[in-house]
Amino acid sequence: MNRITIYPYIAYEKGERANPYIHDFVEAIENSGWAVVGNRPSRNPLLSILFPKNWGDITVFNWFESIPDYKHGLLQSVVAILYVALLKIFRKKVVWVLHNKKSHQSDHARLKKWMGKYIAYMSNLIVTHAEEGIGIARKQYPHALKKTHFLHHPTKNRLSGKVVEKQYDFIIWGTITPYKGVKEFLEYLSQNGEWNPSCYIVGNCPNPALKKTIQSLAEKNHVIYRAEGLPFDEIGEMVGQSRFVLVPYHSDTILSSGILMDSLSFGAKVIGPNVGSFKDYAKNPQLRVYTFDTFDDLASVLKEHGDESVPIDGYERFLNDNDWSHFIQNFHSRLFSKV
């Protein structure tokens, strides 16, 4: 039985919202039959895996290049670099999940760029959830191209089958941070007063200044803003009441998106930036994903596709074919491929 170490595997305190990607990854491995997770959740996820008892035969790093952004980030970066070197000395397999084009924060840009090159070189396998990630590897890490593989961002089937009357044109949901473009979308509405789509925004904003700005802009534009995180069942109900889930992310950093996949799991039509997995799934006839280059594109998408229904059978096939069980099977196949 293989042992896998997952980073970052964070122990959240009561009331904190965990990243579902890591939790679902761990659960899928534990259910796979071919591996177990060797490390436990920790408030210090890097320090906790330094102890040999927590080492796996395989270590999976998520957001490795963003370690400089964490608390004591420069020190943690040095520790992470040495730790990866130690794993290679002991002939452990290293996997890097390439989630973004680059870090969402601009600090320590040169160090982050170097860390991306370092983990790409040291990895046995690089997984990306967007076809554009292959292009990133070709351009930035050409030596690692052969070991870079596209695997769909795993999802779940939360389709309810209910037909609900639409109350909103757009819903924006999830934790609000600067790169997610919520402030910029509301500013766009302020500058284009003749276009007044009905919008609902729901999600906690940990940045007090950004939160205050969004609240002010939302009130000015008659947009409902509910500043809290909600459980998935409530999110699903609100998504059902909306014509589209709008994902107004900045396009310069994003590759794949958990919000996109979770929204599809509810049967939503989604509009997102013309990059990464949004661009991939806009070409998928099973789904109804649309892209924008600028916010000027949103009005025409709403007019042309707002009242279209979704192909439930297509969504059902897509969600079932790309669930966590299938992802782990494909992950195993790529990891132990001799090619």
Side-chain angles (χ1 to χ4, degrees):
M1 182 73 72
N2 293 281
R3 280 169 54 88
I4 297 182
T5 300
I6 298 288
Y7 173 85
Y9 192 9
I10 301 173
Y12 289 90
E13 294 180 356
K14 187 176 181 180
E16 289 184 303
R17 297 185 66 83
N19 185 330
Y21 183 90
I22 298 297
H23 172 81
D24 291 337
F25 205 142
V26 169
E27 184 178 35
I29 289 171
E30 296 285 0
N31 292 334
S32 69
W34 63 267
V36 296
V37 175
N39 60 313
R40 298 296 92 196
S42 172
R43 295 299 292 179
N44 297 290
L46 180 59
L47 295 179
S48 70
I49 62 176
L50 300 182
F51 299 98
K53 68 176 183 177
N54 291 327
W55 292 9
D57 309 296
I58 305 144
T59 298
V60 180
F61 288 101
N62 295 273
W63 306 289
F64 183 89
E65 72 286 3
S66 294
I67 290 175
D69 290 329
Y70 303 160
K71 185 177 181 180
H72 307 303
L74 297 181
L75 177 60
Q76 288 208 59
S77 298
V78 172
V79 172
I81 290 165
L82 296 176
Y83 176 60
V84 171
L86 195 61
L87 292 176
K88 300 302 290 187
I89 290 172
F90 282 88
R91 299 186 178 182
K92 306 292 185 181
K93 287 182 181 290
V94 173
V95 178
W96 179 33
V97 184
L98 175 58
H99 289 281
N100 302 307
K101 296 178 188 177
K102 59 182 180 179
S103 171
H104 298 312
Q105 299 183 42
S106 59
D107 298 339
H108 312 296
R110 293 179 64 182
L111 174 59
K112 291 173 183 175
K113 185 176 181 180
W114 185 89
M115 289 187 71
K117 291 182 178 180
Y118 175 77
I119 194 65
Y121 177 78
M122 299 294 269
S123 294
N124 298 89
L125 172 70
I126 301 173
V127 172
T128 179
H129 295 316
E131 292 281 6
E132 190 175 347
I134 303 295
I136 296 292
R138 182 179 293 111
K139 182 178 180 180
Q140 298 184 19
Y141 321 116
H143 58 279
L145 183 59
K146 289 184 178 180
K147 59 185 178 183
T148 303
H149 296 270
F150 165 68
L151 298 178
H152 290 278
H153 189 304
T155 188
K156 299 179 180 180
N157 187 339
R158 301 184 178 97
L159 299 175
S160 69
K162 295 179 182 178
V163 178
V164 182
E165 183 179 351
K166 305 305 180 186
Q167 299 183 37
Y168 311 103
D169 294 321
F170 301 122
I171 181 173
I172 299 172
W173 69 274
T175 302
I176 298 173
T177 53
Y179 81 90
K180 294 188 176 181
V182 177
K183 177 175 74 73
E184 287 78 3
F185 171 67
L186 291 173
E187 288 173 339
Y188 174 82
L189 293 181
S190 295
Q191 296 161 10
N192 294 269
E194 68 280 2
W195 186 54
N196 298 296
S198 53
C199 304
Y200 197 117
I201 301 173
V202 56
N204 182 42
C205 182
N207 182 318
L210 179 59
K211 181 178 179 179
K212 185 176 181 180
T213 299
I214 289 173
Q215 287 173 326
S216 175
L217 287 168
E219 183 177 358
K220 178 180 179 180
N221 290 287
H222 307 291
V223 170
I224 300 171
Y225 173 41
R226 188 172 173 182
E228 61 179 321
L230 297 179
F232 274 115
D233 57 344
E234 291 188 47
I235 291 293
E237 291 180 9
M238 296 177 63
V239 166
Q241 297 169 7
S242 306
R243 291 180 174 82
F244 295 97
V245 170
L246 175 60
V247 188
Y249 289 4
H250 299 171
S251 62
D252 57 340
T253 63
I254 195 74
L255 270 180
S256 55
S257 166
I259 294 290
L260 166 61
M261 305 310 286
D262 284 327
S263 297
L264 293 175
S265 80
F266 296 124
K269 293 183 295 186
V270 181
I271 308 177
N274 189 27
V275 295
S277 51
F278 297 96
K279 189 174 183 178
D280 292 341
Y281 296 141
K283 295 180 285 188
N284 188 323
Q286 294 178 303
L287 306 173
R288 293 296 179 264
V289 176
Y290 306 91
T291 60
F292 65 85
D293 291 305
T294 71
F295 291 144
D296 288 337
D297 300 331
L298 297 179
S300 61
V301 175
L302 177 60
K303 181 178 179 180
E304 293 176 27
H305 305 286
D307 294 323
E308 287 182 356
S309 59
V310 301
I312 293 299
D313 289 346
Y315 272 60
E316 190 96 37
R317 287 192 297 272
F318 175 83
L319 296 173
N320 291 340
D321 290 345
N322 294 290
D323 63 12
W324 275 97
S325 175
H326 285 88
F327 169 75
I328 292 297
Q329 292 175 23
N330 292 329
F331 176 82
H332 176 273
S333 175
R334 301 301 193 281
L335 185 60
F336 292 101
S337 173
K338 299 298 182 182
V339 178

